[in-house]
PDB file of all heavy atoms in Angstrom:
ATOM      1  N   LYS A   3     -86.688  34.965  15.992  1.00 96.00           N
ATOM      2  CA  LYS A   3     -86.555  36.313  15.441  1.00 96.00           C
ATOM      3  C   LYS A   3     -85.820  36.099  14.112  1.00 96.00           C
ATOM      4  O   LYS A   3     -84.823  35.392  13.937  1.00 96.00           O
ATOM      5  CB  LYS A   3     -85.713  37.125  16.369  1.00 96.00           C
ATOM      6  CG  LYS A   3     -85.628  38.588  15.889  1.00 96.00           C
ATOM      7  CD  LYS A   3     -84.658  39.384  16.831  1.00 96.00           C
ATOM      8  CE  LYS A   3     -85.131  39.258  18.295  1.00 96.00           C
ATOM      9  NZ  LYS A   3     -84.248  40.071  19.151  1.00 96.00           N
ATOM     10  N   ILE A   4     -86.364  36.761  13.065  1.00 95.00           N
ATOM     11  CA  ILE A   4     -85.771  36.743  11.690  1.00 95.00           C
ATOM     12  C   ILE A   4     -85.451  38.079  11.235  1.00 95.00           C
ATOM     13  O   ILE A   4     -86.142  38.990  11.406  1.00 95.00           O
ATOM     14  CB  ILE A   4     -86.825  36.098  10.720  1.00 95.00           C
ATOM     15  CG1 ILE A   4     -87.069  34.649  11.063  1.00 95.00           C
ATOM     16  CG2 ILE A   4     -86.231  36.206   9.306  1.00 95.00           C
ATOM     17  CD1 ILE A   4     -88.234  34.051  10.177  1.00 95.00           C
ATOM     18  N   LEU A   5     -84.145  38.249  10.784  1.00 94.00           N
ATOM     19  CA  LEU A   5     -83.758  39.476  10.140  1.00 94.00           C
ATOM     20  C   LEU A   5     -83.812  39.382   8.654  1.00 94.00           C
ATOM     21  O   LEU A   5     -83.225  38.461   8.107  1.00 94.00           O
ATOM     22  CB  LEU A   5     -82.267  39.714  10.511  1.00 94.00           C
ATOM     23  CG  LEU A   5     -81.537  40.912   9.833  1.00 94.00           C
ATOM     24  CD1 LEU A   5     -82.199  42.257  10.018  1.00 94.00           C
ATOM     25  CD2 LEU A   5     -80.034  40.974  10.308  1.00 94.00           C
ATOM     26  N   ILE A   6     -84.575  40.312   8.004  1.00 94.00           N
ATOM     27  CA  ILE A   6     -84.647  40.368   6.545  1.00 94.00           C
ATOM     28  C   ILE A   6     -83.770  41.501   6.102  1.00 94.00           C
ATOM     29  O   ILE A   6     -83.811  42.585   6.569  1.00 94.00           O
ATOM     30  CB  ILE A   6     -86.141  40.720   6.065  1.00 94.00           C
ATOM     31  CG1 ILE A   6     -87.047  39.598   6.631  1.00 94.00           C
ATOM     32  CG2 ILE A   6     -86.265  40.852   4.689  1.00 94.00           C
ATOM     33  CD1 ILE A   6     -88.498  39.863   6.429  1.00 94.00           C
ATOM     34  N   ILE A   7     -82.944  41.215   5.132  1.00 91.00           N
ATOM     35  CA  ILE A   7     -82.040  42.286   4.508  1.00 91.00           C
ATOM     36  C   ILE A   7     -82.366  42.372   3.097  1.00 91.00           C
ATOM     37  O   ILE A   7     -82.106  41.570   2.285  1.00 91.00           O
ATOM     38  CB  ILE A   7     -80.582  41.811   4.743  1.00 91.00           C
ATOM     39  CG1 ILE A   7     -80.222  41.522   6.152  1.00 91.00           C
ATOM     40  CG2 ILE A   7     -79.666  42.945   4.172  1.00 91.00           C
ATOM     41  CD1 ILE A   7     -78.915  40.785   6.361  1.00 91.00           C
ATOM     42  N   ASP A   8     -82.998  43.505   2.763  1.00 90.00           N
ATOM     43  CA  ASP A   8     -83.391  43.720   1.363  1.00 90.00           C
ATOM     44  C   ASP A   8     -83.656  45.238   1.241  1.00 90.00           C
ATOM     45  O   ASP A   8     -84.178  45.879   2.033  1.00 90.00           O
ATOM     46  CB  ASP A   8     -84.781  42.915   1.118  1.00 90.00           C
ATOM     47  CG  ASP A   8     -85.077  42.773  -0.386  1.00 90.00           C
ATOM     48  OD1 ASP A   8     -84.908  43.722  -1.131  1.00 90.00           O
ATOM     49  OD2 ASP A   8     -85.338  41.698  -0.764  1.00 90.00           O
ATOM     50  N   ASP A   9     -83.193  45.683   0.048  1.00 89.00           N
ATOM     51  CA  ASP A   9     -83.275  47.166  -0.231  1.00 89.00           C
ATOM     52  C   ASP A   9     -84.662  47.494  -0.713  1.00 89.00           C
ATOM     53  O   ASP A   9     -84.963  48.735  -0.964  1.00 89.00           O
ATOM     54  CB  ASP A   9     -82.131  47.585  -1.061  1.00 89.00           C
ATOM     55  CG  ASP A   9     -82.156  46.951  -2.462  1.00 89.00           C
ATOM     56  OD1 ASP A   9     -82.676  45.797  -2.533  1.00 89.00           O
ATOM     57  OD2 ASP A   9     -81.658  47.591  -3.414  1.00 89.00           O
ATOM     58  N   ASP A  10     -85.490  46.545  -1.147  1.00 87.00           N
ATOM     59  CA  ASP A  10     -86.833  46.725  -1.635  1.00 87.00           C
ATOM     60  C   ASP A  10     -87.934  46.821  -0.478  1.00 87.00           C
ATOM     61  O   ASP A  10     -88.156  45.812   0.054  1.00 87.00           O
ATOM     62  CB  ASP A  10     -87.177  45.655  -2.678  1.00 87.00           C
ATOM     63  CG  ASP A  10     -88.445  45.943  -3.422  1.00 87.00           C
ATOM     64  OD1 ASP A  10     -89.466  46.369  -2.782  1.00 87.00           O
ATOM     65  OD2 ASP A  10     -88.472  45.793  -4.661  1.00 87.00           O
ATOM     66  N   VAL A  11     -88.337  48.004  -0.263  1.00 90.00           N
ATOM     67  CA  VAL A  11     -89.328  48.279   0.870  1.00 90.00           C
ATOM     68  C   VAL A  11     -90.641  47.312   0.762  1.00 90.00           C
ATOM     69  O   VAL A  11     -91.161  46.719   1.665  1.00 90.00           O
ATOM     70  CB  VAL A  11     -89.730  49.778   1.053  1.00 90.00           C
ATOM     71  CG1 VAL A  11     -90.794  49.930   2.059  1.00 90.00           C
ATOM     72  CG2 VAL A  11     -88.508  50.548   1.267  1.00 90.00           C
ATOM     73  N   ASP A  12     -91.112  47.212  -0.552  1.00 88.00           N
ATOM     74  CA  ASP A  12     -92.339  46.440  -0.846  1.00 88.00           C
ATOM     75  C   ASP A  12     -92.032  44.923  -0.466  1.00 88.00           C
ATOM     76  O   ASP A  12     -92.925  44.338   0.178  1.00 88.00           O
ATOM     77  CB  ASP A  12     -92.765  46.553  -2.207  1.00 88.00           C
ATOM     78  CG  ASP A  12     -93.228  48.000  -2.545  1.00 88.00           C
ATOM     79  OD1 ASP A  12     -93.773  48.642  -1.616  1.00 88.00           O
ATOM     80  OD2 ASP A  12     -93.142  48.463  -3.683  1.00 88.00           O
ATOM     81  N   ILE A  13     -90.978  44.356  -0.785  1.00 86.00           N
ATOM     82  CA  ILE A  13     -90.673  43.076  -0.535  1.00 86.00           C
ATOM     83  C   ILE A  13     -90.502  42.849   0.940  1.00 86.00           C
ATOM     84  O   ILE A  13     -91.116  41.887   1.541  1.00 86.00           O
ATOM     85  CB  ILE A  13     -89.391  42.551  -1.281  1.00 86.00           C
ATOM     86  CG1 ILE A  13     -89.710  42.426  -2.777  1.00 86.00           C
ATOM     87  CG2 ILE A  13     -88.877  41.219  -0.689  1.00 86.00           C
ATOM     88  CD1 ILE A  13     -88.453  42.086  -3.586  1.00 86.00           C
ATOM     89  N   THR A  14     -89.818  43.700   1.708  1.00 90.00           N
ATOM     90  CA  THR A  14     -89.771  43.598   3.126  1.00 90.00           C
ATOM     91  C   THR A  14     -91.013  43.619   3.835  1.00 90.00           C
ATOM     92  O   THR A  14     -91.287  42.912   4.817  1.00 90.00           O
ATOM     93  CB  THR A  14     -88.649  44.651   3.723  1.00 90.00           C
ATOM     94  OG1 THR A  14     -89.190  45.900   3.540  1.00 90.00           O
ATOM     95  CG2 THR A  14     -87.401  44.414   3.168  1.00 90.00           C
ATOM     96  N   LYS A  15     -91.956  44.517   3.350  1.00 92.00           N
ATOM     97  CA  LYS A  15     -93.290  44.587   3.938  1.00 92.00           C
ATOM     98  C   LYS A  15     -94.082  43.192   3.780  1.00 92.00           C
ATOM     99  O   LYS A  15     -94.621  42.796   4.693  1.00 92.00           O
ATOM    100  CB  LYS A  15     -94.134  45.684   3.263  1.00 92.00           C
ATOM    101  CG  LYS A  15     -93.794  47.090   3.767  1.00 92.00           C
ATOM    102  CD  LYS A  15     -94.543  48.074   3.056  1.00 92.00           C
ATOM    103  CE  LYS A  15     -94.196  49.485   3.494  1.00 92.00           C
ATOM    104  NZ  LYS A  15     -94.973  50.499   2.766  1.00 92.00           N
ATOM    105  N   VAL A  16     -93.943  42.672   2.566  1.00 89.00           N
ATOM    106  CA  VAL A  16     -94.686  41.383   2.265  1.00 89.00           C
ATOM    107  C   VAL A  16     -94.093  40.261   3.176  1.00 89.00           C
ATOM    108  O   VAL A  16     -94.851  39.565   3.824  1.00 89.00           O
ATOM    109  CB  VAL A  16     -94.713  41.058   0.777  1.00 89.00           C
ATOM    110  CG1 VAL A  16     -95.242  39.714   0.557  1.00 89.00           C
ATOM    111  CG2 VAL A  16     -95.472  42.095   0.070  1.00 89.00           C
ATOM    112  N   LEU A  17     -92.789  40.187   3.169  1.00 90.00           N
ATOM    113  CA  LEU A  17     -92.244  39.104   3.947  1.00 90.00           C
ATOM    114  C   LEU A  17     -92.417  39.265   5.434  1.00 90.00           C
ATOM    115  O   LEU A  17     -92.726  38.355   6.155  1.00 90.00           O
ATOM    116  CB  LEU A  17     -90.712  39.114   3.646  1.00 90.00           C
ATOM    117  CG  LEU A  17     -90.141  38.425   2.406  1.00 90.00           C
ATOM    118  CD1 LEU A  17     -88.661  38.718   2.177  1.00 90.00           C
ATOM    119  CD2 LEU A  17     -90.474  36.952   2.292  1.00 90.00           C
ATOM    120  N   SER A  18     -92.321  40.515   5.903  1.00 93.00           N
ATOM    121  CA  SER A  18     -92.528  40.778   7.271  1.00 93.00           C
ATOM    122  C   SER A  18     -93.901  40.345   7.720  1.00 93.00           C
ATOM    123  O   SER A  18     -94.059  39.656   8.661  1.00 93.00           O
ATOM    124  CB  SER A  18     -92.303  42.252   7.526  1.00 93.00           C
ATOM    125  OG  SER A  18     -90.947  42.558   7.473  1.00 93.00           O
ATOM    126  N   ARG A  19     -94.918  40.833   6.911  1.00 93.00           N
ATOM    127  CA  ARG A  19     -96.257  40.502   7.243  1.00 93.00           C
ATOM    128  C   ARG A  19     -96.524  39.044   7.321  1.00 93.00           C
ATOM    129  O   ARG A  19     -97.142  38.553   8.239  1.00 93.00           O
ATOM    130  CB  ARG A  19     -97.201  41.157   6.193  1.00 93.00           C
ATOM    131  CG  ARG A  19     -98.609  41.274   6.659  1.00 93.00           C
ATOM    132  CD  ARG A  19     -99.498  42.036   5.665  1.00 93.00           C
ATOM    133  NE  ARG A  19     -98.895  43.317   5.225  1.00 93.00           N
ATOM    134  CZ  ARG A  19     -98.709  43.623   3.950  1.00 93.00           C
ATOM    135  NH1 ARG A  19     -99.045  42.854   2.958  1.00 93.00           N
ATOM    136  NH2 ARG A  19     -98.208  44.744   3.591  1.00 93.00           N
ATOM    137  N   GLN A  20     -96.049  38.378   6.277  1.00 92.00           N
ATOM    138  CA  GLN A  20     -96.256  36.839   6.238  1.00 92.00           C
ATOM    139  C   GLN A  20     -95.539  36.189   7.465  1.00 92.00           C
ATOM    140  O   GLN A  20     -96.132  35.373   8.069  1.00 92.00           O
ATOM    141  CB  GLN A  20     -95.776  36.312   4.916  1.00 92.00           C
ATOM    142  CG  GLN A  20     -96.558  36.750   3.675  1.00 92.00           C
ATOM    143  CD  GLN A  20     -97.997  36.287   3.783  1.00 92.00           C
ATOM    144  OE1 GLN A  20     -98.308  35.158   4.187  1.00 92.00           O
ATOM    145  NE2 GLN A  20     -98.943  37.162   3.476  1.00 92.00           N
ATOM    146  N   LEU A  21     -94.320  36.545   7.759  1.00 94.00           N
ATOM    147  CA  LEU A  21     -93.588  35.885   8.873  1.00 94.00           C
ATOM    148  C   LEU A  21     -94.198  36.215  10.169  1.00 94.00           C
ATOM    149  O   LEU A  21     -94.255  35.374  11.082  1.00 94.00           O
ATOM    150  CB  LEU A  21     -92.084  36.317   8.767  1.00 94.00           C
ATOM    151  CG  LEU A  21     -91.309  35.718   7.542  1.00 94.00           C
ATOM    152  CD1 LEU A  21     -89.954  36.433   7.472  1.00 94.00           C
ATOM    153  CD2 LEU A  21     -91.174  34.208   7.719  1.00 94.00           C
ATOM    154  N   GLN A  22     -94.600  37.477  10.324  1.00 96.00           N
ATOM    155  CA  GLN A  22     -95.329  37.904  11.632  1.00 96.00           C
ATOM    156  C   GLN A  22     -96.556  37.121  11.818  1.00 96.00           C
ATOM    157  O   GLN A  22     -96.902  36.603  12.887  1.00 96.00           O
ATOM    158  CB  GLN A  22     -95.471  39.404  11.678  1.00 96.00           C
ATOM    159  CG  GLN A  22     -94.287  40.076  11.806  1.00 96.00           C
ATOM    160  CD  GLN A  22     -94.390  41.569  11.599  1.00 96.00           C
ATOM    161  OE1 GLN A  22     -95.461  42.066  11.065  1.00 96.00           O
ATOM    162  NE2 GLN A  22     -93.341  42.388  12.037  1.00 96.00           N
ATOM    163  N   HIS A  23     -97.297  36.970  10.792  1.00 95.00           N
ATOM    164  CA  HIS A  23     -98.627  36.243  10.750  1.00 95.00           C
ATOM    165  C   HIS A  23     -98.349  34.707  11.279  1.00 95.00           C
ATOM    166  O   HIS A  23     -99.163  34.167  11.902  1.00 95.00           O
ATOM    167  CB  HIS A  23     -99.354  36.266   9.459  1.00 95.00           C
ATOM    168  CG  HIS A  23    -100.643  35.529   9.419  1.00 95.00           C
ATOM    169  ND1 HIS A  23    -101.676  36.027  10.023  1.00 95.00           N
ATOM    170  CD2 HIS A  23    -100.987  34.329   8.881  1.00 95.00           C
ATOM    171  CE1 HIS A  23    -102.732  35.223   9.893  1.00 95.00           C
ATOM    172  NE2 HIS A  23    -102.325  34.198   9.192  1.00 95.00           N
ATOM    173  N   ALA A  24     -97.139  34.220  10.827  1.00 95.00           N
ATOM    174  CA  ALA A  24     -96.785  32.853  11.151  1.00 95.00           C
ATOM    175  C   ALA A  24     -96.138  32.717  12.502  1.00 95.00           C
ATOM    176  O   ALA A  24     -95.707  31.646  12.992  1.00 95.00           O
ATOM    177  CB  ALA A  24     -95.760  32.311  10.141  1.00 95.00           C
TER     178      ALA A  24
END
Side-chain angles (χ1 to χ4, degrees):
K3 189 182 304 182
I4 298 175
L5 169 58
I6 299 171
I7 309 167
D8 198 312
D9 60 331
D10 187 315
V11 175
D12 293 330
I13 289 174
T14 60
K15 283 181 183 178
V16 170
L17 283 174
S18 293
R19 194 174 316 124
Q20 293 298 317
L21 291 168
Q22 288 168 346
H23 183 72

